[in-house]
Amino acid sequence: MQVFGRALDQNGVTARVHGNTNRQPIHSLTFNDRQNVLEFITRYASENVIVLPGRLPYVKNAQDLLLPSDKRQADIHEIYEQSAALSQLRSISLSTFTIIWHDLCPNVVLAKPQIDLCHKCQMYIRKLSNGGNMDETETKTSY
């Protein structure tokens, strides 16, 4: 008969217990860390929310808070990192920031760049796009 190991001989056939059982990993976020991110996103959204007069086709919920499309989540994460460094709060990664954002603040969304502009803006865009096909005299008279 072959010997399989000391643990098998001493304990028999049992499940192994991991060494970190019942211990919190050092890199895990605490409740306060998540709360700090939630407060930052809420404060940032209240300061930068876009108030729109009508309903947009891609916004499913009327209670969604739309943030301007000039910033990405990575840009907002950078702002969070700067404020966390000033406040001596814990730094978190972009992926964790995004996960917390979607978990705790699903109603705060980034606006998508729009193509539904007012009539005046549409006319300016049309004139600018057609400007390459006009000669110099037509360009001066149309603007």
Side-chain angles (χ1 to χ4, degrees), residues 48-126:
N48 297 298
V49 70
I50 301 173
V51 179
L52 297 172
R55 186 178 181 285
L56 295 175
Y58 67 86
V59 178
K60 295 176 182 142
N61 190 354
Q63 280 76 34
D64 283 351
L65 300 176
L66 291 176
L67 297 177
S69 63
D70 64 337
K71 293 205 185 303
R72 301 170 300 145
Q73 282 186 339
D75 300 329
I76 298 170
H77 174 255
E78 267 185 43
I79 296 169
Y80 171 77
E81 287 295 315
Q82 293 169 359
S83 69
L86 291 175
S87 305
Q88 297 178 347
L89 297 174
R90 184 174 177 179
S91 176
I92 61 171
S93 69
L94 173 60
S95 59
T96 305
F97 183 80
T98 305
I99 290 169
I100 292 173
W101 184 329
H102 290 299
D103 286 348
L104 302 179
C105 304
N107 64 325
V108 178
V109 294
L110 294 172
K112 296 177 183 171
Q114 294 297 304
I115 56 171
D116 55 339
L117 302 172
C118 67
H119 180 69
K120 188 173 185 178
C121 294
Q122 286 178 352
M123 294 305 294
Y124 281 132
I125 289 174
R126 190 172 296 131

